[in-house]
């Protein structure tokens, strides 16, 4: 065999797997579709879309992917280090209640087992309480108090090196996390740029911890390499090993390659793993994958709204997500920002419009736009043009723990019938959270700004999410799940799924810590090398 394990994808699930398997003495390869990023090649703003957006067919080789579906607009990362390069570093543990609902309920004593895996993930990722509060966080705190929810306001827990208390920002320190085995770090300067990749060495991305340690211990990372096929050797159940086929994902040299291994960890994110597993099932490479594949995909019940205050103070400083509070029992709001100059997301912003989704809301939106343009032409243009959007906006990331899910299947879209692609099915996901919209309006009124939402929510009744989860439900058997409670794919030996696709509930908080903790748990049950897998 070329390797003991091949890990598909280097995000949260992939990097944890690579590190733990290498530590156990296995020979590990990580196949990653995205590029490797360093402070030197990260873009300075997101107007440099060729280094921000991932669409290699169009020559765009960035780390941020945006995929439209009928039910939801999905944002996700694509890089060595997966979503950690573009994510906003916020790592929160969800409430205990999430283990009582969803397909994983009753499959393990989650409440007893998970705390120690969360603790390990928190230590490995260097999670700390945010000390760098920006103006947007102060505004959110005042608004939470005004709303009567001041007690629930909190500083986020973030995977950022903020340096010793009282020391100046931007200083370099030897590895503060792994007793000298990790890379040196620099203390955060609070530039708000985390979602554009940290150019200052302060963000604890996976290539600075789990993946770094895995590579140091011998794991081989193949960047710009896409896995397109996984087949059991000898057409068996995989107990004799697998052959894994890869192709270059960009114009990097090299053609289709074959690698052999004893086991595979699918960690290509909820969307990536669903896409790959559907194709493997349908083309007969892994035909025994459960029919539950693609069921119960969740969006974390999310809505992105905000307030823009032209000409006010610079709202872009601080950490990407610096603080949050609970609007009510189910609704959680975080103050989010892009760094000054990274205004491209402003192209998706428009004025917040009330009313139920549908044609009525579009008409209302058009009417309010026209009337606003007639009454206050200069102010309206200032709000709608994207330039200055990041400095002038506080983005409110709203998440709910309420249940709700869609399904995904491979199908041919009517507008492009030449290729089967993932498509979403099921009941529509609410595009607006009325109480969150009301909060945005009140906040805008209080700070003299204009409440905003995403144009896709109004025009297409499609919410945006950066937290796509589920699709490989856990179950007691292949009849009711794709994987078991130890992340093992039903029907095959030594195949694991360790990424957002196994999350079985709307967490109501950002999911990466839970993906790490679940992967830590799955990996802790694999014996060291030379034992039976
Ligand atoms: C802008 C933004 C901000 C976010 N902020 C937060 C936050 O603050 N906190 C939080 O918890 N979460 C946040 N998230 C979500 C977080 O990034 C994801 O939940 C997390 O990265 C998912 O982890 P994963 O292990 O499932 O996969 P990922 O981290 O997405 O990694 C999967 C990797 O697999 C690769 N891949 C896919 N298919 C293949 C293939 N066929 N072959 C080879 N490689 C493949 C992809 O390129 C990708 O790099 C944010 C997301 C975005 C987009
Ligand atoms: S705020 Fe700036 S320096 Fe701090 S982690 Fe984010 S990008 Fe890096």
């Amino acid at each position: 065999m070329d390797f003991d394990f091949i890990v598909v994808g280097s995000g949260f699930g992939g990097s944890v797997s690579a590190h733990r398997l290498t530590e156990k003495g296995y020979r590990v390869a990580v196949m990653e579709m995205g590029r490797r990023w360093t402070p030197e090649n990260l873009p300075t703003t997101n107007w440099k879309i060729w280094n921000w957006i991932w669409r290699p067919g169009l020559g765009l080789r960035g780390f941020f992917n945006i995929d439209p579906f009928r039910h939801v607009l999905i944002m996700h990362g694509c890089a060595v280090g997966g979503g950690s390069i573009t994510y906003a570093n916020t790592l929160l543990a969800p409430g205990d209640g999430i283990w009582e609902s969803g397909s994983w309920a009753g499959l393990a004593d989650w409440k007893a087992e998970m705390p120690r895996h969360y603790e390990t993930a928190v230590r490995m990722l260097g999670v700390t309480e945010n000390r760098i509060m920006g103006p947007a966080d102060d505004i959110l705190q005042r608004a939470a108090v005004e709303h009567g929810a001041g007690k629930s306001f909190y500083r986020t827990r973030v995977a950022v090196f903020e340096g010793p208390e009282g020391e100046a920002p931007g200083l370099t320190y030897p590895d503060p996390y792994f007793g000298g085995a990790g890379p040196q770090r620099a203390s955060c300067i609070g530039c708000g740029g985390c979602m554009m990749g940290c150019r200052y060495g302060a963000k604890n991305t996976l290539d600075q911890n789990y993946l770094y340690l895995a590579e140091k211990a011998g794991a081989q990372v193949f960047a710009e390499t896409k896995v397109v096929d996984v087949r059991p050797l000898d057409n068996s159940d995989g107990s004799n090993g697998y052959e894994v086929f890869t192709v270059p994902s960009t114009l990097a040299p090299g053609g289709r390659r074959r690698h052999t291994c004893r086991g595979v960890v699918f960690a290509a994110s909820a969307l990536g793993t669903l896409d790959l597993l559907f194709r493997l099932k349908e083309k007969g490479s892994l035909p025994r994958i459960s029919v539950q594949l693609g069921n119960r995909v969740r969006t974390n019940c999310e809505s992105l709204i905000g307030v823009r205050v032209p000409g006010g103070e610079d709202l872009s400083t601080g950490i990407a997500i610096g603080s949050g509070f609970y609007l009510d029992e189910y609704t959680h709001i975080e103050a989010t920002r892009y760094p000054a100059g990274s205004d491209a997301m402003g192209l998706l912003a428009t004025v917040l419009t009330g009313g139920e989704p549908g044609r009525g809301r579009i008409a209302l939106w058009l009417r309010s736009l026209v009337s606003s343009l007639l009454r206050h032409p200069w102010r309206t243009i200032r709000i709608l043009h994207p330039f200055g959007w990041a400095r002038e906006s506080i983005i409110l990331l709203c998440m709910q723990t309420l249940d709700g899910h869609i399904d995904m299947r491979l199908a041919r879209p009517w507008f492009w019938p030449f290729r089967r692609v993932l498509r979403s099915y099921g009941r529509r996901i609410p595009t607006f959270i009325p109480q969150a919209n009301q909060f945005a309006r009140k906040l805008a009124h209080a700070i003299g700004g204009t409440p905003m939402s995403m144009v896709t929510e109004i025009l297409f009744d499609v919410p945006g999410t950066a937290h796509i989860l589920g699709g490989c439900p856990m179950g007691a058997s292949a009849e009711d799940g794709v994987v078991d409670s130890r992340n093992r794919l039903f029907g095959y030996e030594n195949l694991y799924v360790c990424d957002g696709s196994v999350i079985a509930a709307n967490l109501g908080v950002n999911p990466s810590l839970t993906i790490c903790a679940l992967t830590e748990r799955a990996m802790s049950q694999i014996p060291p090398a030379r034992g039976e897998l």
Side-chain angles (χ1 to χ4, degrees), residues 160 188-194 198 200 202-203 318-319:
V160 170
C188 173
I189 59 166
C191 68
C194 321
C198 179
Y200 305 96
K203 180 177 173 177
I319 300 265

Side-chain angles (χ1 to χ4, degrees), residues 96-442:
D96 259 3
I98 58 133
W99 304 111
E100 288 156 13
S101 63
S103 63
W104 53 28
L107 294 180
D109 190 355
W110 301 108
K111 287 187 194 172
E113 283 187 50
M114 288 308 292
R116 68 174 183 277
H117 299 300
Y118 276 107
E119 271 166 36
T120 310
V122 162
R123 181 171 43 77
M124 292 294 298
L125 295 165
V127 182
T128 183
E129 187 183 80
N130 175 31
R131 295 201 311 266
I132 304 174
M133 297 280 282
D137 303 303
D138 297 334
I139 290 173
L140 190 76
Q141 182 165 24
R142 286 200 297 275
V145 171
E146 189 77 7
H147 186 78
K151 280 209 178 112
S152 72
F153 178 85
Y154 64 91
R155 292 162 179 250
T156 41
R157 291 187 57 77
V158 289
V160 170
F161 178 62
E162 294 194 348
E165 212 157 346
E167 293 296 322
L171 300 178
T172 304
Y173 294 83
D175 166 37
Y177 297 115
F178 306 108
Q184 68 172 26
R185 315 311 322 281
S187 51
C188 173
I189 59 166
C191 68
C194 321
M195 290 196 281
M196 289 308 299
C198 179
R199 292 185 290 124
Y200 305 96
K203 180 177 173 177
N204 299 337
T205 46
L206 293 162
D207 53 349
Q208 305 292 326
N209 40 63
Y210 279 109
L211 199 60
Y212 179 92
L213 297 175
E215 282 194 271
K216 206 171 161 189
Q220 287 184 48
V221 177
F222 294 76
E224 299 177 54
T225 300
K226 183 175 182 178
V227 172
V228 289
D229 205 355
V230 176
R231 291 189 210 143
L233 290 169
D234 313 330
N235 271 337
S236 66
D237 62 353
S239 39
N240 295 327
Y242 294 88
E243 51 184 355
V244 173
F245 292 88
T246 60
V247 294
S249 60
T250 57
L251 295 176
R256 188 175 164 96
R257 285 184 63 186
R258 176 180 180 270
H259 316 259
T260 51
C261 59
R262 291 172 69 197
V264 176
V265 181
F266 292 96
S269 79
L271 274 192
T273 292
L274 280 185
D275 188 86
L276 183 57
L277 291 186
F278 266 121
R279 291 183 197 281
L280 299 185
K281 181 174 169 66
E282 293 189 6
K283 71 176 161 191
S285 298
L286 295 176
R288 296 184 213 163
I289 293 175
S290 165
V291 291
Q292 293 289 340
L293 185 67
N295 290 348
R296 286 170 267 173
V297 175
R298 294 163 198 275
T299 63
N300 220 9
C301 264
E302 221 162 279
S303 170
L304 280 167
I305 50 180
V307 176
R308 184 164 179 180
V309 198
E313 65 185 321
D314 182 355
L315 298 176
S316 69
T317 59
I319 300 265
I321 300 182
S323 59
F325 82 103
Y326 284 83
L327 192 62
D328 58 40
E329 192 185 346
Y330 305 107
T331 317
H332 172 203
I333 294 187
E334 289 173 346
T336 310
R337 71 221 75 188
Y338 269 93
S342 284
D343 299 324
M345 277 300 227
L347 293 168
L348 286 180
T350 188
V351 286
L352 186 77
T353 307
E356 287 301 311
R359 288 203 192 121
R361 184 150 64 139
I362 298 174
L364 187 63
W365 171 67
L366 283 173
R367 249 200 334 268
S368 28
L369 266 189
V370 172
S371 114
S372 177
L373 269 169
L374 291 175
R375 282 183 299 130
H376 317 284
W378 176 231
R379 207 174 91 191
T380 313
I381 288 164
R382 286 214 63 189
I383 285 162
L384 290 179
H385 76 75
F387 304 107
W389 175 83
R391 286 175 64 94
E392 296 172 352
S393 297
I394 161 168
I395 306 166
L396 301 171
L397 170 58
C398 313
M399 291 166 265
Q400 291 194 305
T401 40
L402 300 178
D403 201 24
H405 53 80
I406 51 175
D407 296 330
M408 292 232 179
R409 300 278 176 267
L410 271 191
R412 292 181 197 281
W414 59 265
F415 52 87
W416 187 255
F418 312 105
R419 191 162 185 266
R420 288 154 73 75
V421 293
L422 274 184
R423 306 206 69 197
S424 60
Y425 297 88
R427 287 178 56 192
R428 286 212 162 268
I429 304 162
T431 36
F432 80 123
I433 303 174
Q435 58 274 45
N437 281 15
Q438 207 184 354
F439 174 77
R441 283 187 195 291
K442 267 170 59 184

Side-chain angles (χ1 to χ4, degrees), residues 9 11-13 31-33 78-79 82-83 88 90 227 268-269 466 499-500 510-512:
F12 288 89
M31 304 297 173
E32 170 53 58
M33 191 164 79
C78 172
T90 299
V227 172
S269 79
D499 58 23
N510 323 59
S512 303

